[in-house]
């Protein structure tokens, strides 16, 4: 059974339809890449899955059950593009991670915060620091730790490397890939970069003007694309081997 099932999802902002009748499944324990140009609706679809976008119609299920609509809670967690905006600047990074944990005693919470920080490569001794003391890559690691602390069935990563220096992008991608394999959650990876999606994803869906126009196993879609948008994206993005 699919971990995340999105059936005929439509998202509207007033009279503007950002996503129209989209079907998308993210299978248990796998990575699905969602790609498209700017304004294609891919980020809006990710926000819809966690209650941050107004779903006008359709159904969002996790293992066949409707999910709650409380942002920040539940079996689907979203890691945002901008690590500088996603963390409260007044809150220590340990408190940010601890906020996502189930209610428990102080000692147990401290141990769990340390465990999740270590999981993403952050020294637990830095738990009392605020985000201002961290680099962009370190902040994104903390954002990952906070999302994972909620023990999600599905993690949605929305362009999580695009705001980072090129020198740290690969480290974050490798971290995410390793965590997905180790913990076994389903991952929806949203990106405009098909080279990165080729590296991470088992399946790919391509969005254009609010619709999914092509989807399937990564190799099939990227080696034998049918839609013109997929062909255009492939022609514009270098492979990882060609990238500087």
């Amino acid at each position: 059974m699919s971990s995340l099932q999105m059936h005929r999802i439509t998202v509207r902002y007033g009279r503007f339809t950002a996503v129209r009748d989209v079907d998308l499944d993210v299978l248990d324990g796998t990575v699905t890449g969602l790609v498209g140009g700017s304004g294609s609706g891919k980020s809006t679809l990710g926000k819809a899955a966690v209650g941050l976008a107004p779903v006008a119609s359709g159904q969002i299920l996790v293992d066949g059950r409707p999910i709650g609509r409380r942002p920040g809670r539940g079996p689907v967690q979203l890691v945002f593009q901008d690590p500088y905006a996603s963390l409260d600047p007044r809150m220590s990074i340990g408190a940010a991670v601890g906020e996502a944990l189930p209610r428990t005693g102080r000692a147990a919470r401290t141990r769990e915060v340390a465990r999740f920080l270590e999981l993403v490569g952050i020294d637990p001794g830095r738990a009392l620091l605020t985000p201002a003391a961290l680099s962009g890559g370190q902040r994104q690691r903390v954002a990952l730790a906070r999302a994972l602390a909620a023990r999600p069935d599905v993690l949605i990563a929305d362009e999580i490397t695009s705001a980072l220096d090129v020198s740290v992008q690969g480290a974050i991608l490798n971290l995410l890939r390793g965590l997905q394999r180790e913990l076994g959650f389903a991952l929806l990876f949203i990106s405009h970069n098909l080279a990165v999606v080729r590296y991470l994803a088992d399946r790919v869906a391509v969005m254009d003007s609010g619709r999914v126009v092509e989807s399937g196993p990564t190799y099939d879609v990227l080696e034998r694309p049918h839609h013109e948008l997929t062909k255009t994206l492939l022609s514009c993005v270098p492979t990882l081997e060609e990238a500087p």
Side-chain angles (χ1 to χ4, degrees):
M1 181 179 289
S2 300
S3 279
L4 175 65
Q5 303 157 293
M6 306 182 78
H7 295 315
R8 300 187 67 85
I9 298 299
T10 294
V11 176
R12 293 194 183 97
Y13 295 96
R15 295 183 178 180
F16 173 67
T17 300
V19 172
R20 187 185 302 274
D21 291 331
V22 165
D23 290 327
L24 182 68
D25 288 356
V26 183
L27 304 179
D28 186 35
T30 67
V31 181
T32 294
L34 183 62
V35 299
S38 178
S40 62
K42 59 187 187 297
S43 291
T44 299
L45 188 64
K47 290 176 182 177
V50 294
L52 293 175
V55 177
S57 62
Q59 195 172 30
I60 301 172
L61 309 172
V62 172
D63 289 339
R65 297 184 297 272
I67 64 173
R69 309 298 336 140
R70 289 195 302 159
R73 302 292 179 182
V76 183
Q77 293 292 313
L78 174 64
V79 181
F80 294 92
Q81 174 180 352
D82 186 357
Y84 292 93
S86 61
L87 297 173
D88 187 336
R90 300 162 298 179
M91 184 179 290
S92 73
I93 62 173
V97 174
E99 200 175 36
L101 291 168
R103 292 185 180 277
T104 185
R106 179 177 297 179
R109 180 177 293 265
T110 299
R111 288 194 298 271
E112 282 292 273
V113 167
R115 183 169 76 88
F116 280 104
L117 288 176
E118 282 189 324
L119 198 62
V120 299
I122 297 290
D123 180 358
R126 310 188 76 186
L128 295 179
L129 297 179
T130 60
L134 305 180
S135 67
Q138 290 169 332
R139 292 185 194 199
Q140 200 61 290
R141 288 172 184 265
V142 173
L144 270 173
R146 181 178 62 181
L148 294 174
R151 294 170 173 81
D153 296 313
V154 183
L155 184 70
I156 300 175
D158 185 9
E159 298 273 16
I160 65 168
T161 62
S162 62
L164 304 178
D165 292 340
V166 173
S167 60
V168 299
Q169 288 181 9
I172 294 295
L173 290 172
N174 286 330
L175 171 66
L176 183 61
R177 190 184 197 191
L179 288 170
Q180 191 274 329
R181 289 175 173 175
E182 178 182 349
L183 302 178
F185 52 81
L187 173 63
L188 178 62
F189 185 83
I190 300 172
S191 179
H192 66 279
N193 190 329
L194 281 177
V196 171
V197 168
R198 186 196 301 270
Y199 174 68
L200 285 176
D202 304 294
R203 297 182 61 84
V204 177
V206 182
M207 286 194 73
D208 185 31
S209 302
R211 298 181 183 273
V212 170
V213 296
E214 185 165 7
S215 64
T218 301
Y219 181 85
D220 292 347
V221 171
L222 300 189
E223 295 300 323
R224 294 185 291 272
H226 297 292
H227 196 274
E228 286 303 314
L229 175 64
T230 312
K231 295 175 183 178
T232 299
L233 290 172
L234 282 167
S235 70
C236 294
V237 179
T239 64
L240 289 178
E241 289 80 9
E242 294 169 343

